[in-house]
Amino acid sequence: MQRIAPQIKSLFVVAADGKLRASSLRSLVPAVDLSDRDYFAHHRKDVSRNVFIGKPVVGRVSSDPVFSITKRLSTRGGEFLGVVGVNMDLAYFSRFYQ
């Protein structure tokens, strides 16, 4: 993935309870709660399923500065199932725009 798109740090899935369920960084997913992230709060309230770009944070799995691009996961009836997203590497964009 990094050879094709070096700006991508990881792909991830967060369940409706805010717990990390899948991450491209680890085959065994660590117990991480992401319910306090801005993207999670946004998608929990907003049923539009639009893409959300989060503020820069330090990744809880990677420990690197990232920002997230996310989308809501929901049932056909609109029930919130969680979030799917990609963490973008802030260092890549800093180098690119220097």
Side-chain angles (χ1 to χ4, degrees):
M1 182 173 61
Q2 291 230 314
R3 280 178 281 177
I4 297 167
Q7 67 274 27
I8 295 176
K9 192 67 166 174
S10 66
L11 306 173
F12 63 93
V13 177
V14 181
D17 63 0
K19 304 293 190 231
L20 182 64
R21 294 294 184 231
S23 170
S24 64
L25 291 177
R26 304 258 193 302
S27 56
L28 294 175
V29 180
V32 175
D33 185 342
L34 298 167
S35 61
D36 63 334
R37 295 293 200 200
D38 59 352
Y39 60 80
F40 188 83
H42 170 81
H43 290 302
R44 179 177 245 163
K45 290 186 282 186
D46 184 6
V47 297
S48 68
R49 298 182 187 160
N50 289 333
V51 171
F52 181 82
I53 300 174
K55 66 180 181 178
V57 295
V58 173
R60 293 200 176 129
V61 176
S62 70
S63 299
D64 294 325
V66 296
F67 68 93
S68 302
I69 301 173
T70 57
K71 192 159 172 103
R72 177 188 170 107
L73 296 172
S74 28
T75 64
R76 289 184 184 187
E79 179 186 352
F80 180 63
L81 293 176
V83 175
V84 62
V86 57
N87 280 328
M88 307 301 286
D89 184 5
L90 276 178
Y92 172 89
F93 289 94
S94 293
R95 288 187 305 271
F96 183 84
Y97 287 108
Q98 278 184 342

